[in-house]
Amino acid sequence: MSALTLKIIALISMFIDHAYDIGLIGQQLIMDTFSLDVISSSPISRFISLLGRIAFPIFAFMVAEGARHTRNIKKYILRLFIFALISEIPFDALHWPVAFSKLPRFISFFRNTNVLYTFALAVSGVALCNLCRSRGKGRALQIASLAVPALLSVVLSTDYTIFGVALVYAAYLPGENRRVKFAAMAGVLAVLYLGYASYWFTSLTMDNVYEFGMACVSLILLWFYNGRRGGWSGSFGKWLFYIAYPAHLALLALWRILTNPLIIH
């Protein structure tokens, strides 16, 4: 399975996830489309919501692959940060609660930020760690170089925060050791969905288990990754996510604003 195929799967999953969150795809649509009642439509609605869990591990893995194979990691980090800034306004417009009006005054580039911040910080940590290693710095400094970007993700409240950074690290640091890499990624996902999401196991539910299971589906798909970019041009595959991420946020945010006028008042 090529990188392009995996990215397309992840993009579809991400779009479904965000569209479900704002009600564009939801239980009411399922009921109207298939003439179902609330009880009959609930399992379908829940399954659709779970499909969104496939996207993030795939993107985290691909970011780690990008960091491993890029010719210039500084340009890679800069590109991630630039598109993070571009994506922030539609990201805020999509996620700001309707109950809080006057969205423009609450748009922030340093609070509750989008996932590209997470990825940029993760790659920054990787680059700093590699720099420390190449200059013969000690293990403590290498660990600190990984820890600082992870802590910054918490300060900036990036999407997936420290867990997102850790997932990129898990996909990158084991190198070509696939078994260790996927075990580490599964471990991070378990902590995220079974631990953190359940208030550290104090209120663990089957929903948490289902979310973890669906996230692990992405690991199964990634196991079949063949290391190739895909059948289309490498340039297209390279820029697909950068363009599609802010574009889909903008389209969904526009729909949300048009259907909820209070957001811009």
Side-chain angles (χ1 to χ4, degrees), residues 25-167:
I25 300 174
Q27 189 166 0
Q28 188 61 51
L29 178 64
I30 296 168
M31 292 168 61
D32 294 342
T33 303
F34 300 102
S35 300
L36 299 174
D37 56 24
V38 174
I39 296 176
S40 301
S41 62
S42 291
I44 301 174
S45 176
R46 183 55 181 146
F47 177 74
I48 291 174
S49 71
L50 289 172
L51 287 175
R53 306 285 74 78
I54 293 175
F56 185 69
I58 294 177
F59 285 133
F61 180 92
M62 288 302 162
V63 166
E65 285 292 289
R68 181 175 291 109
H69 298 294
T70 185
R71 295 178 182 178
N72 190 324
I73 199 164
K74 291 181 182 178
K75 287 185 178 180
Y76 187 34
I77 294 169
L78 179 61
R79 188 161 59 242
L80 285 167
F81 272 121
I82 289 173
F83 276 90
L85 294 174
I86 292 172
S87 302
E88 189 57 29
I89 292 177
F91 179 83
D92 288 344
L94 184 65
H95 291 91
W96 193 255
V98 178
F100 293 87
S101 60
K102 299 180 181 179
L103 170 69
R105 76 165 64 168
F106 291 104
I107 289 174
S108 172
F109 293 93
F110 303 102
R111 183 183 68 247
N112 298 324
T113 51
N114 66 78
V115 75
L116 288 180
Y117 281 82
T118 309
F119 290 152
L121 289 170
V123 178
S124 298
V126 164
L128 287 171
C129 183
N130 288 340
L131 181 63
C132 291
R133 189 178 298 139
S134 66
R135 294 186 176 181
K137 303 299 182 181
R139 184 65 61 85
L141 195 56
Q142 293 178 33
I143 294 173
S145 67
L146 294 171
V148 170
L151 293 175
L152 277 175
S153 72
V154 177
V155 173
L156 296 173
S157 298
T158 68
D159 208 7
Y160 288 95
T161 63
I162 197 169
F163 304 104
V165 175
L167 195 60

Side-chain angles (χ1 to χ4, degrees), residues 212-239:
F212 171 65
M214 190 61 79
C216 286
V217 169
S218 65
L219 301 184
I220 297 173
L221 295 173
L222 287 168
W223 185 263
F224 295 99
Y225 172 55
N226 57 20
R228 299 174 182 175
R229 289 186 176 182
W232 298 351
S233 69
S235 179
F236 176 84
K238 173 182 176 179
W239 291 101

